[in-house]
Amino acid sequence: MLNINNPEVDSSARNILQQVFGYDHFRDRQESIINAAIAGRDSLVLMPTGGGKSLCYQIPALVRPGVGLVVSPLIALMQDQVNTLRQLGVKAAFLNSTLSWQQKQDIVARMNSGETDLIYVAPERLSQADTLEWLSRHRISLIAIDEAHCVSQWGHDFRPDYLSLGQLGACFPDVPRMALTATATPATRQDILQNLQLHEPVVYVSSFDRPNIRYSVAPKLDAKNQLIRFLENHRADCGIVYCLSRKKVESTALWLNQRGFNALPYHAGLPGSERAENQSRFQFEDNLIMVATIAFGMGIDKPDVRFVAHLDLPGSVESYYQETGRAGRDGQPSDAWMVYGLNDVVQRSQMLERSDADEIHKRNERSKLDSLLGWCEVTQCRRSSLLEYFGEKLQAPCGNCDTCLDPPKTRHGTEIAQKLLSCIYRTGQRFGALHIIDVLLGKDTEKIRQHGHLHLSTFGIGADLSQNQWRSVIRQLIVRGFLVSDAERFGALRFTGTTHPLLKGEIDLMLREDIKKQTVARKTKIKTDVGEENQELWEALRTCRKQLAEQYGIPPYMVFHDNTLKEIMQQKPVRHEELLNISGIGHAKLEKFGDEFLEVVRGYPGESFEVRHSRQVGRTDQ
Ligand code: ADP
Ligand code: ZN
C-alpha cells in the first residue's frame, strides 16, 4: 500500500493522480482502465507512445493492497521508471541482472518488510522458479506486462522470455493483469491475448494519433543544408537524426559539429562504452542531437525529444511511425521531418532486390516499401493517411502537417511523362536516371557522344525542366509503378506492364510540383511561445532545473518536464502551496524542489507579479 509521509493523501485513484503525480485530470481512457484494474479485471491496453500508459498500472497498483509487479524488458527503461517514481515519493525498486548480490539482498529485505509499492522485474528473472516462489509469498496488487508486443512472434521485438509470462495467471489467480503496448497491428494484439492467457480481458484501444507531432516530408535536394535550415528552429532542443548507414551517421555528426551544433554519433559499430556514454549524455543534456542508425531507439524514454529527422527513408510505415514516435512524449509541439528523393527510392528497392530473403518475404517487404513511398507522395492530409494505414479515420484534415499547412500543387503531367518515357524507350531501357536526364536536357557529355544520343529525337526535348524537376518526375513514376529501376543492371530505368498506356497518352497523370518549394518551416519556433518578456526567466528556470538535476544525479526532465517549467514561468507562483496548482508538481516534488524554483521566480518579479501581488493584498490602485 502507498504510504507517503503525508497524512492528507488517501488512496483513491484521483487523489493519487493529484497528490503524488501532481496532475489535475486523467487523460481519455486512463480512468476507465484504472477502475477496471482496481475492480480486479484483466485488461489489454493499446495506446501510442507518450499516451500515458505508465499511470494506468501505477495508480491501481498503489490503490490495491500489496505490491505492484511490473514486467519490463528493457533495463534502461526500468531504471528510468523507478527513478521517476522515487522522485515522486513512491517506493519503487527493480530486479535485473545489473544488480550486485548485496543490492538484491536489500531489495528482498525491503520487500519482505513491506516497504515496497512497486517492483519492476525483467522477464528472464520471472521465468525462474525461485523468483516466482519468492513473489508468491507476497501479496501482489497487480501484474503489469509492459511492452506486451514482445510476446508476439509477428512483432518487431519478439522475446522468448515473454512466452513464459502466460503462466503468471496460474501462479497468481486472483491478481488482475494488465498488458500494455504501443504496437497496434491486429496480429500482435491477437498474439498477446492468446499467449498471455488473459482472463476475459477488457480491451482498450486509444487513438494512435500524436497530435503534437507535425509531420513533414520534403523533396531531397541538398540534404545537409536542408537539415541545417530545419535545425535552425530547434537550436536549444534535443532531437534525433536518423541515417541509414554508419558512415553517414559519422559524417553527418561531424558536419553538424563543424556548424556549431552539439551532435553525437550512435550506431552498432561503436564500442559499447561509447554508445553507453552517448546515450546517457542524450538522457541528461538538454540540447543535444543524436545522429544515429536505427540501433538507437529502444529504451529511449526521454519525454522532451523535440524532433526526429530522417535523412534516409525508413523501411516501412510502421518503422517510420515508431521512429518518429520518439518525439514529443510530453505532448509539447514536436517535429517529424524527413527529406526523401529519387536516390532513396532506388537505394531501398535495390537493397530489397539484393537481399537473400525468399520470394514471399521479399514481396511482403516490397509492399511495405510501396506503402511508405505512396505515403511520401500524398497530396492530402499526411496525418490522415498515416492513421489510415493503421485503420483509423480522422474526422477532418489535421491542420498540423506539411500538406495541410502548405498544400502541394499538382499539375497535368502526361505530356512530361511522355517525353521521359520516349527518351527511355529510344535509348533501349538500358540507362539510369542520370544519363536519361542528361539526354532530355540536351547535355553534351562523353557518354552521350559515345552512344550517339546527340542524334536522338528526344535529345534536348526536356530543357524546359531542371535536373531536379526531372528527378522528381522519375521518382513519382517509379513510386506509382510506371517505371522500375533495375537493380541487376545498375539502376537502368525499365518499363512495366502499365507504362505503354501512359506513353500513348491514354492516362491523365497528375504530378506533384514539389521542386520550387522549400521545406515547410515552423512559422513559430517552439521556444518562442516562451515570449520575449519571459525569455530570461525561462533560462533561469532551466538553469535551476539543471543544477538540481546534477545535485540529485537525475536527468533534468525528472526534476520537472518542460510543461511544468512553462507553467511556473506563466503563473509566477509566490507561495509554496501555489506550486501545487501546477501540473506535474505533487507533494514529494514540492518538498524537494519547490523552494528553489520559488526563489528563481522571486528574482524575476516583472509586471504580472507586481500586479497580482497587489491584488492579493487588496490594493487595486497601481
Ligand atoms: P507511454 O508509456 O504511454 O509512452 P508515459 O506513461 O511515459 O507514456 O506518459 C507520457 C507522459 O505523459 C509522461 O510524461 C506522463 O507523466 C504524462 N502523463 C500521463 N498521464 C497524464 C495525465 N493524466 N496528465 C498529465 N500528464 C500525464
Ligand atoms: Zn494534415
Side-chain angles (χ1 to χ4, degrees):
M1 266 291 270
L2 180 69
N3 176 19
I4 301 259
N5 301 334
N6 187 328
E8 287 164 37
V9 177
D10 92 25
S11 22
S12 79
R14 190 167 286 275
N15 270 359
I16 292 184
L17 178 77
Q18 289 165 353
Q19 318 235 5
V20 178
F21 293 91
Y23 297 137
D24 281 343
H25 313 283
F26 283 111
R27 284 191 189 151
D28 56 343
R29 312 299 295 278
Q30 278 176 333
E31 192 159 23
S32 349
I33 298 170
I34 289 169
N35 284 337
I38 292 175
R41 293 284 304 264
D42 281 2
S43 59
L44 169 60
V45 175
L46 301 140
M47 216 187 251
T49 306
K53 285 186 286 300
S54 323
L55 284 192
C56 294
Y57 59 82
Q58 287 164 349
I59 292 183
L62 295 175
V63 171
R64 288 174 60 90
V67 184
L69 170 64
V70 185
V71 186
S72 170
L74 293 162
I75 288 171
L77 283 192
M78 218 186 263
Q79 289 171 341
D80 203 72
Q81 291 254 5
V82 167
N83 267 339
T84 300
L85 286 168
R86 286 187 181 156
Q87 297 308 319
L88 299 171
V90 176
K91 297 193 207 90
F94 60 80
L95 272 183
N96 63 31
S97 53
T98 63
L99 297 175
S100 67
W101 185 84
Q102 187 53 49
Q103 286 171 316
K104 247 175 265 165
Q105 295 312 303
D106 290 347
I107 288 168
V108 168
R110 251 176 283 142
M111 267 285 274
N112 293 345
S113 61
E115 287 172 61
T116 308
D117 300 318
L118 273 157
I119 181 130
Y120 283 70
V121 183
E124 66 273 13
R125 196 147 286 278
L126 261 192
S127 43
Q128 295 165 4
D130 56 342
T131 310
L132 276 180
E133 198 269 325
W134 172 68
L135 281 171
S136 64
R137 279 188 268 127
H138 293 85
R139 182 161 190 180
I140 302 296
S141 59
L142 170 108
I143 300 174
I145 299 160
D146 206 2
E147 313 286 348
H149 58 273
C150 292
V151 79
S152 168
Q153 316 236 22
W154 299 111
H156 43 81
D157 195 28
F158 173 60
R159 289 170 191 242
D161 283 320
Y162 260 64
L163 283 178
S164 63
L165 300 180
Q167 59 177 321
L168 287 174
C171 301
F172 302 95
D174 301 323
V175 178
R177 285 173 299 149
M178 185 187 293
L180 307 104
T181 177
T183 302
T185 57
T188 318
R189 192 187 309 179
Q190 215 41 53
D191 271 7
I192 295 175
L193 289 174
Q194 195 166 0
N195 294 342
L196 292 182
Q197 297 170 38
L198 299 177
H199 176 67
E200 295 176 2
V202 202
V203 179
Y204 296 94
V205 187
S206 295
S207 164
F208 271 69
D209 186 18
R210 304 284 311 278
N212 61 315
I213 300 184
R214 175 175 297 177
Y215 298 98
S216 44
V217 178
K220 193 186 277 185
L221 301 169
D222 171 10
K224 280 184 176 165
N225 282 316
Q226 286 174 287
L227 176 66
I228 297 275
R229 280 196 296 276
F230 165 73
L231 292 176
E232 287 302 336
N233 286 331
H234 286 285
R235 270 285 173 186
D237 296 337
C238 254
I240 308 171
V241 176
Y242 279 115
C243 304
L244 198 54
S245 72
R246 297 173 183 184
K247 216 168 101 200
K248 190 157 167 189
V249 164
E250 303 265 355
S251 67
T252 308
L254 190 66
W255 151 277
L256 287 176
N257 278 309
Q258 285 164 349
R259 267 144 200 85
F261 289 92
N262 192 12
L264 288 176
Y266 190 103
H267 57 71
L270 292 174
S273 57
E274 191 176 340
R275 263 185 291 156
E277 158 84 15
N278 290 1
Q279 169 144 1
S280 137
R281 280 189 57 190
F282 186 71
Q283 201 86 342
F284 278 82
E285 292 179 24
D286 53 10
N287 71 328
L288 194 102
I289 300 170
M290 192 69 105
V291 187
T293 61
I294 49 168
F296 184 66
M298 280 299 274
I300 308 168
D301 207 8
K302 195 174 164 60
D304 52 359
V305 174
R306 287 276 75 85
F307 63 88
V308 170
H310 280 91
L311 286 187
D312 295 302
L313 200 65
S316 64
V317 179
E318 287 97 327
S319 320
Y320 173 82
Y321 178 81
Q322 218 189 2
E323 285 154 32
T324 55
R326 289 165 191 148
R329 270 170 176 267
D330 57 6
Q332 294 281 302
S334 307
D335 274 307
W337 179 89
M338 175 159 81
V339 281
Y340 117 110
L342 177 58
N343 275 353
D344 290 285
V345 178
V346 172
Q347 189 180 33
R348 274 287 174 185
S349 314
Q350 296 193 346
M351 272 169 68
L352 222 153
E353 294 314 320
R354 294 210 181 112
S355 86
D356 3 299
D358 57 56
E359 266 319 304
I360 297 173
H361 186 78
K362 271 193 192 174
R363 204 178 321 139
N364 212 342
E365 293 296 305
R366 152 122 336 257
S367 94
K368 283 186 176 177
L369 178 62
D370 285 345
S371 305
L372 178 65
L373 293 174
W375 180 78
C376 289
E377 301 284 350
V378 296
T379 49
Q380 69 276 38
C381 173
R382 202 176 284 288
R383 183 185 315 275
S384 303
S385 38
L386 182 64
L387 290 173
E388 230 162 77
Y389 185 81
F390 297 110
E392 200 176 318
K393 258 203 146 21
L394 217 58
Q395 294 306 323
C398 76
N400 190 28
C401 70
D402 57 349
T403 46
C404 277
L405 292 165
D406 191 1
K409 294 194 180 58
T410 55
R411 61 168 161 181
H412 293 279
T414 305
E415 213 175 296
I416 296 170
Q418 282 174 310
K419 287 183 186 175
L420 170 73
L421 296 176
S422 59
C423 188
I424 293 170
Y425 185 73
R426 282 175 203 284
T427 50
Q429 306 186 43
R430 294 190 295 126
F431 297 91
L434 212 61
H435 183 72
I436 296 293
I437 294 173
D438 282 348
V439 176
L440 284 164
L441 295 176
K443 282 198 183 165
D444 185 4
T445 69
E446 187 58 40
K447 198 167 172 184
I448 284 180
R449 285 170 179 274
Q450 192 189 332
H451 292 280
H453 290 163
L454 277 172
H455 311 295
L456 290 175
S457 59
T458 54
F459 183 75
I461 55 163
D464 49 336
L465 296 189
S466 70
Q467 192 195 41
N468 276 330
Q469 284 172 314
W470 278 117
R471 292 178 71 83
S472 155
V473 174
I474 296 174
R475 186 194 79 218
Q476 295 183 57
L477 290 192
I478 295 178
V479 169
R480 295 201 214 166
F482 292 113
L483 283 175
V484 286
S485 155
D486 190 340
E488 308 267 277
R489 291 160 63 203
F490 309 104
L493 295 172
R494 277 197 295 104
F495 283 11
T496 68
T498 56
T499 317
H500 280 286
L502 181 58
L503 180 59
K504 285 190 246 153
E506 292 164 8
I507 294 174
D508 183 16
L509 180 78
M510 296 307 288
L511 287 175
R512 263 183 88 116
E513 227 178 318
D514 58 10
I515 294 304
K516 276 168 276 158
K517 202 177 56 187
Q518 286 301 327
T519 63
V520 196
R522 239 175 217 288
K523 303 222 163 57
T524 47
K525 286 189 202 167
I526 287 175
K527 282 281 145 38
T528 51
D529 57 353
V530 163
E532 203 60 34
E533 70 287 2
N534 276 325
Q535 200 63 40
E536 246 183 275
L537 172 57
W538 173 248
E539 292 307 329
L541 290 169
R542 272 169 64 113
T543 308
C544 174
R545 174 172 70 173
K546 201 164 177 60
Q547 284 163 352
L548 285 168
E550 273 162 22
Q551 186 183 329
Y552 284 88
I554 53 177
Y557 62 78
M558 246 179 235
V559 177
F560 288 140
H561 280 185
D562 280 1
N563 325 6
T564 306
L565 221 55
K566 264 185 206 160
E567 253 188 70
I568 298 180
M569 176 192 79
Q570 281 150 358
Q571 300 199 6
K572 302 193 179 60
V574 185
R575 282 170 296 128
H576 211 68
E577 318 79 71
E578 285 182 305
L579 277 171
L580 281 178
N581 299 332
I582 288 172
S583 171
I585 307 187
H587 283 290
K589 288 197 176 179
L590 174 72
E591 291 315 321
K592 220 182 233 164
F593 309 127
D595 287 340
E596 265 84 354
F597 285 93
L598 285 180
E599 196 65 34
V600 173
V601 174
R602 278 188 205 117
Y604 292 84
E607 202 186 354
S608 55
F609 172 82
E610 297 287 312
V611 170
R612 205 154 46 102
H613 192 63
S614 62
R615 228 188 294 122
Q616 274 162 1
V617 295
R619 282 183 292 133
T620 48
D621 56 334
Q622 269 197 341

